Amino acid sequence: MAIIIDGKALAKKIRQNLKVECNKLKEEGVNPKLAVIMVGDNPASKVYVRNKSRACNEVGIEYQEYLLKEDSTQEELLDLIKKLNKDKDINGILLQSPLPEHLDINKAFKTITYLKDVDGFTPASVGKLSIGEDTFVSCTPLGVIKMFEEYNIDLTGKHVVIVGRSNIVGKPLIQCCLQKHATVTVCHSRTTDLEKFTKDADILIAAIGKSKFIKADMVKEGAVVIDVGINRGEDGKLAGDIDFKNVEKKASYITPVPGGVGPMTIAMLMNNVIKATKEQQKEKSNF
Ligand code: NAP
């Protein structure tokens, strides 16, 4: 039976450490503050945003929501981002996705100033990550890497197979795993013979968005299995991309859903807000 990687407990420990750092900043007269932009009325987004505001509360980060109407124009969205870029009281800007279809999310991400890019989605952050410079790393991949570190899972020379190539999870994970000296394969919906790759993985990371898609016969005995997926089943319950019940018997380590990567993602957002606040302080002292 696999060791269950307890993302919930690790995220709590990280939040507690961040609270200490946040208090130190406050003693210096600096109040870390996150701005969250939501466009429209997406029910799933509301849940995610609520969880983020709770985490901010716990760490001591100020939190401000900016709600734009569903029919807001691209210009209105970009104007709000530009306003927040200039606002000295705001340290981090998070644009909650998805956006309504008429809005271009990449244009919006590009408008967020690098030093407030707590989601790590701007071209500057993505570029820096790809050349191995210190930067804001997208929260979910960063959370996965922290799990490896906490559980002493060494990626050196290991074959990491990532299923999913999204800009927010799969692609930044490639760079994160390369930096840890893994050999990385990325699969997606056009991959032929997916099983050939997943069965060869020492470390398998699923970020697909399909409930229980990865079955036990697709996994190598003793593999480390990380489940990024969050899917709502017909029974209303949350399920990951991994068939947990059966894969657990074969894996050496596995993350559950819920209680795995999800809480780590939010903890890494808090981490990035504190990082952004500190970097902005450094910038100020350079003048
Ligand atoms: P996404 O943008 O929809 O990307 C899904 C990826 O899976 C795509 O690259 C797609 O391939 C690939 N894929 C789809 N069907 C496949 C198949 N049959 N075989 C192989 N690959 C397939 O999703 P995402 O935003 O990365 O999110 C993925 C999942 O993670 C979702 O369940 C999401 O809710 C969850 N998520 C969780 C967290 C967290 O905090 N735990 C954070 C973000 C996302 P193509 O590129 O070819 O279409």
Side-chain angles (χ1 to χ4, degrees), residues 6-9 11-12 15 147 256 258-268:
D6 189 344
K8 197 175 166 189
K12 188 173 177 192
R15 290 196 304 272
M147 284 173 149
V261 177
M264 287 301 291
T265 297
I266 297 183
M268 290 305 104

Side-chain angles (χ1 to χ4, degrees), residues 113-132:
T113 188
Y114 166 71
L115 276 178
K116 297 188 181 184
D117 180 22
V118 288
D119 249 340
F121 293 163
T122 64
S125 300
V126 174
K128 279 170 157 247
L129 178 65
S130 73
I131 56 168

Side-chain angles (χ1 to χ4, degrees), residues 48 140 163-170 187-191 194 206-210 213 227-231 241 261-263 265:
Y48 290 135
T140 302
V163 189
R165 57 173 165 178
S166 70
N167 288 343
I168 62 167
V169 187
C187 303
H188 44 80
S189 68
R190 314 286 174 92
T191 300
L194 178 67
I208 309 164
K210 291 195 169 150
F213 182 84
D227 194 348
V228 175
I230 302 178
N231 312 292
D241 291 342
V261 177
T265 297

